[in-house]
């Protein structure tokens, strides 16, 4: 019997990067997994990969910031697997710019994906978790929540997710549902690759520069974040609620 046998995990932004690795770890540990992503092409590729590995997987192309799409994806997951035990709000985007250059659209897009997306997903899923008196909600925040140059929108959204996490912990705890957040530091994904491009430096130099600032002397990998998510998702973690775990190779970076 594997650690998550019999469990159903719903992961947003799961077609690549951290979300894909989280979904893969759950599937590897016996969970049935529902992948949601706005990028249908990447999603198809990931689903094929997962099926080839023998995982029990379904996928939905949907935008987390659109209520109808999120609710339809959650309904489809419950129709297929009968329930959702674990929700990981991972979908994210960056639209970095210094405040004076940040557009209304840069602001709204980031708020919509991170904050509205997590809200819509959690609201749709909690209904089934409350019925089952069991649930694990894990939100992906960031060290940027503590402030980061060029990320007024993203830092605000990631700090907002921490308040959202603590409030859900208070509201949903009595139904056997815990809500926690993982706040990653620098993780090697397409997102950080895009940041290097925007700054006009090679990804290798960007990685070396960042690794030198991190106490453990290396940058993070998606697996580092998946490990922390799995800890919060474990049945045995039922007394851990409303916490933010920084996974950053040091206290905050
Ligand atoms: N990479 C890092 O260093 C880092 C650090 C801290 C936090 N994070 C957070 O971790 C999460 C995953 O980041 P990543 O590095 O894997 O990024 P990524 O860009 O590789 O993956 C993000 C995924 O989210 C999907 N997505 C974007 N908008 C969406 C929408 N509206 N609806 C549904 N899916 C959508 C994308 O298609 C993509 O598959 C994000 O929330 C990010 O903010 C990343």
């Amino acid at each position: 019997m594997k650690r998550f046998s019999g469990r159903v995990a719903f992961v947003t932004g799961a077609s690549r990067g951290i979300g894909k690795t989280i979904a893969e770890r759950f599937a590897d540990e016996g969970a049935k997994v529902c992948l949601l992503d706005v990028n249908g092409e990447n999603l198809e590729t990931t689903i094929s990969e997962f099926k080839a590995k023998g995982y029990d997987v379904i996928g939905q192309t949907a935008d987390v910031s659109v209520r109808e799409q999120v609710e339809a994806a959650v309904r489809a997951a419950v129709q297929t697997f009968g329930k959702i035990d674990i929700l990981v709000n991972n979908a994210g985007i960056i639209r970095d710019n210094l405040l004076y250059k940040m557009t209304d659209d840069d602001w709204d897009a980031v708020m919509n994906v991170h904050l509205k997306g997590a809200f819509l997903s959690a609201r749709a899923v909690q209904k089934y978790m409350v019925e089952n008196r069991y649930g694990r909600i894990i939100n992906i925040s960031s060290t940027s929540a503590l402030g980061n140059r060029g990320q007024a929108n993203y830092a605000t959204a990631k700090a907002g997710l921490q308040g959202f996490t603590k409030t859900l912990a208070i509201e949903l705890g009595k139904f056997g549902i815990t809500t926690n957040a993982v706040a990653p530091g620098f993780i090697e994904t397409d997102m950080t690759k895009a940041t290097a491009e925007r700054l006009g430096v090679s990804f290798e130099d960007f990685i070396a520069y960042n690794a030198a600032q991190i106490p453990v002397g290396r940058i993070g990998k998606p697996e580092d974040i998946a490990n922390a998510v799995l800890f919060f998702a474990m049945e045995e973690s039922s007394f851990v609620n409303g916490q933010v775990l920084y996974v950053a190779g040091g206290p905050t970076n």
Side-chain angles (χ1 to χ4, degrees):
M1 178 105 163
K2 294 183 174 174
R3 200 158 33 142
F4 289 98
S5 292
R7 294 289 176 206
V8 178
F10 187 101
V11 183
T12 71
S15 81
R16 72 177 197 188
I18 294 171
K20 178 180 173 183
T21 302
I22 291 169
E24 177 150 23
R25 283 293 312 279
F26 275 125
D28 206 41
E29 300 250 17
K32 298 177 167 74
V33 290
C34 315
L35 318 184
L36 180 153
D37 206 289
V38 74
N39 186 327
E41 210 174 306
N42 282 351
L43 189 60
E44 282 312 313
T45 310
T46 297
I47 288 171
S48 303
E49 258 180 54
F50 279 23
K51 284 189 173 155
K53 289 183 174 175
Y55 299 153
D56 221 341
V57 57
I58 60 162
Q60 303 288 326
T61 303
D63 182 337
V64 285
S65 64
V66 180
R67 180 168 58 82
E68 294 75 13
Q69 294 183 22
V70 171
E71 290 179 352
V74 167
R75 267 197 310 275
V78 174
Q79 267 160 19
T80 307
F81 292 136
K83 60 175 182 170
I84 296 173
D85 299 300
I86 300 155
L87 166 66
V88 184
N89 283 313
N90 164 82
I93 57 167
I94 45 171
R95 292 283 185 278
D96 297 354
N97 233 327
L98 293 174
L99 179 62
Y100 77 102
K101 288 194 278 189
M102 188 170 282
T103 65
D104 291 15
D105 190 54
D106 291 334
W107 181 268
D108 291 341
V110 168
M111 294 304 150
N112 278 334
V113 176
H114 295 274
L115 286 180
K116 193 169 183 196
F119 159 66
L120 290 174
S121 303
R123 191 180 60 182
V125 168
Q126 59 78 33
K127 177 172 172 273
Y128 302 102
M129 290 181 168
V130 168
E131 274 171 22
N132 290 337
R133 294 292 192 273
Y134 186 86
R136 298 280 180 267
I137 299 174
I138 298 127
N139 298 315
I140 305 300
S141 177
S142 168
T143 49
S144 294
L146 302 167
N148 199 21
R149 188 178 168 80
Q151 291 197 317
N153 50 1
Y154 184 82
T156 303
K158 291 305 198 186
L161 275 174
Q162 298 191 7
F164 184 61
T165 298
K166 289 171 189 292
T167 302
L168 296 198
I170 292 166
E171 290 188 15
L172 299 175
K174 66 177 173 223
F175 302 110
I177 303 166
T178 64
T179 310
N180 292 285
V182 176
F186 188 108
I187 311 297
E188 185 176 358
T189 68
D190 287 318
M191 186 178 273
T192 37
K193 208 176 280 174
T195 306
E197 270 166 32
R198 184 179 61 82
L199 295 172
V201 293
S202 75
F203 198 33
E204 290 68 31
D205 288 351
F206 194 46
I207 286 174
Y209 170 80
N210 278 282
Q213 326 292 317
I214 298 173
V216 298
R218 69 167 176 92
I219 61 154
K221 293 187 185 317
E223 290 75 11
D224 294 312
I225 305 311
N227 280 332
V229 170
L230 264 67
F231 163 70
F232 283 133
M234 279 163 41
E235 205 167 325
E236 296 85 338
S237 299
S238 60
F239 207 53
V240 182
N241 193 20
Q243 300 306 303
V244 178
L245 179 59
Y246 282 86
V247 180
T252 58
N253 67 359

